Amino acid sequence: TDEVVAAKTAAAVKHGLVPVVCVGETGEQREERGAGVVPVEQLRVVLDAVKPADIVVAYEPVWAIGSGQAATAEQAQDECAAIRRGIASAWGDQAAADTRVLYGGSVKSGNIAGFLREPDIDGALVGGASLDVQEFAAIARFRQHVGL
């Protein structure tokens, strides 16, 4: 539940760890409620439970996990921008600017460039592609090439 994630986040922060908080929606939730709504609601429970802290937020749409179907760069940007606005609302503009917001959901070497060009996407949470040495190396080389 969102409350369990909030408690685990608070425990991690209390013990000096930097938690990676994953938020995301099913395709049905996105269609019914609109872009950004469900992930921001999930994150809000965490933000209300923890004072401003060093956390990483990853937008990982449930509909993309293991499907090979990634969000478009524009969809990911919309979601990550909504997440950043949610952080600003709870913790202030500086905390929103300082918090790393990642995209995760079928990230591959062929689509990483589009995600990293977006202003509210600070990096990627690489899942299945990290199990393929060549694919993961291609993602890492891209990040090095552009100085990330």
Side-chain angles (χ1 to χ4, degrees), residues 39-130:
V40 171
E41 286 176 350
Q42 294 168 339
L43 184 59
R44 187 60 192 228
V45 176
V46 171
L47 299 176
D48 288 346
V50 180
K51 293 179 181 174
D54 189 11
I55 68 170
V56 175
V57 179
Y59 169 62
E60 187 159 13
V62 175
W63 53 266
I65 297 172
S67 71
Q69 177 186 12
T72 66
E74 295 78 18
Q75 287 171 324
Q77 166 58 26
D78 289 346
E79 296 287 345
C80 291
I83 288 166
R84 204 171 297 280
R85 287 191 302 272
I87 297 167
S89 175
W91 286 357
D93 291 339
Q94 188 60 54
D98 292 344
T99 300
R100 292 166 305 249
V101 179
L102 311 179
Y103 172 74
S106 296
V107 173
K108 299 184 177 358
S109 61
N111 63 16
I112 188 72
F115 297 127
L116 296 182
R117 280 190 203 105
E118 298 297 336
D120 287 298
I121 301 175
D122 299 317
L125 183 67
V126 182
S130 69

